Amino acid sequence: MYKFIFLASFSLIFLACKKEYKMPAEIASIPVEVSIERFDQMFVNLSDTTLLGMKKKYPFLFPTKYEDKFWLKKSKDTLHQELVNEVEKVFPDLNEVNAELISFYKYLIYYYPSVKVPRIISLISDVDYKNNVVLRKELLLLSLDTYLGGEHYFYEDISKYIKDDFEPSQLVPNIAMAYAQKIVPRADGRDLLAQMILFGKRRYLLRTLLPKMELSDIFGYSKREMDWLMDNESFIWRYFIEKEMLFSTDKDLLPRFVYPAPFSKFYLSIDQQAPDKVGQYIGYQIVLAFMEKKNVSLQQLMEMDSKSIFEMSTYKPQK
């Protein structure tokens, strides 16, 4: 257990000296192989002679309710061909993603040794952004056409706060979040504080498993949004306290402050400047304050109740 405590503490030190970071030898020595199967590239070349083999290799990507002619037609569809071309521009190869995933899985396996690297398949899903990363048992599906950059013309009719997550830099954090959602699946209460700490745990987990990544990418924020949060952390906390929101079970608070949205809704003039999910950021800061004070392992943190974390964190943002 002590090695987990050491590395959790080490990750906190790392936050202040990111450029000097080096992966601990204990983690670097973990053997990890990552191979991403480019189904997106194979499907576009589908033919009568290759279809049967593709269906045998990827039966879960060929629902039996569709006849063979449907798949052959789809592979040659003009829109699909255009999606393929645009994906190729952004992801001509996945070498960088592969390297990031090797690092990610080394950390994940270090803290959770039972985890196995899944079969990883990249595909094109007709911009199905609600299922951009699908993690099921030993299978990981990645929809590359949902990571072409927020300003891509394919996304013109999608709300800005949604397509901000379509940057290539968000692919690996979203993969990590898929694991975080399984490790910490739900909050231990219905109040706002419990929900904030749930997401705070998940973001802290991502910060630990992706230590070289900028905090803004961990949250999916722009630099401006991250700066706003850091400058207004004390205001946000004071607002929650003064409005007696922390222990409220009002469901309307979650879309206002925790879930993705165009902006966080304080019902003040600052709303248009405030990024969404400010509650997640505050939850992360509470968890961070707790971990700076208590020698507990990452696994213990994930299992602790939100009330204990909050009380022992003695969280109080600087003015």
Side-chain angles (χ1 to χ4, degrees), residues 96-124:
E96 185 175 342
V97 174
N98 199 87
E100 290 180 6
L101 285 179
I102 289 174
S103 175
F104 164 71
Y105 278 112
K106 282 178 179 286
Y107 278 94
L108 183 61
I109 292 170
Y110 179 83
Y111 288 106
Y112 296 92
S114 63
V115 170
K116 305 294 182 185
V117 177
R119 183 182 181 186
I120 307 174
I121 302 170
S122 66
L123 46 82
I124 288 174

Side-chain angles (χ1 to χ4, degrees), residues 17 49 63 70 91 93 101 105 138 150 152 157 169 175 217 221 224 247 251 255 268 284 286 300 312 315:
C17 52
T49 56
F70 170 84
F91 300 103
D93 61 61
L101 285 179
Y105 278 112
E138 298 181 356
H152 195 280
D157 297 328
S169 62
I175 294 170
D217 287 331
Y221 288 136
R224 182 201 68 79
F247 300 104
K251 293 181 179 179
L268 298 170
Y284 168 81
I286 292 172
Q300 289 172 324
M312 287 189 277
Y315 169 72

Side-chain angles (χ1 to χ4, degrees), residues 145-158:
D145 55 323
T146 61
Y147 293 99
L148 301 179
E151 298 303 317
H152 195 280
Y153 65 87
F154 277 143
Y155 313 142
E156 288 178 355
D157 297 328
I158 300 175

Side-chain angles (χ1 to χ4, degrees), residues 121 171 186 188 212 242 289 318:
I121 302 170
L171 176 55
R186 61 186 65 85
D188 57 10
K212 292 191 290 185
E242 291 176 353
Q318 295 180 352

Side-chain angles (χ1 to χ4, degrees), residues 174-198:
N174 285 352
I175 294 170
M177 180 56 76
Y179 280 95
Q181 290 170 345
K182 290 183 178 295
I183 293 170
V184 195
R186 61 186 65 85
D188 57 10
R190 295 185 298 111
D191 55 89
L192 178 63
L193 179 65
Q195 295 292 329
M196 290 197 303
I197 291 180
L198 164 68

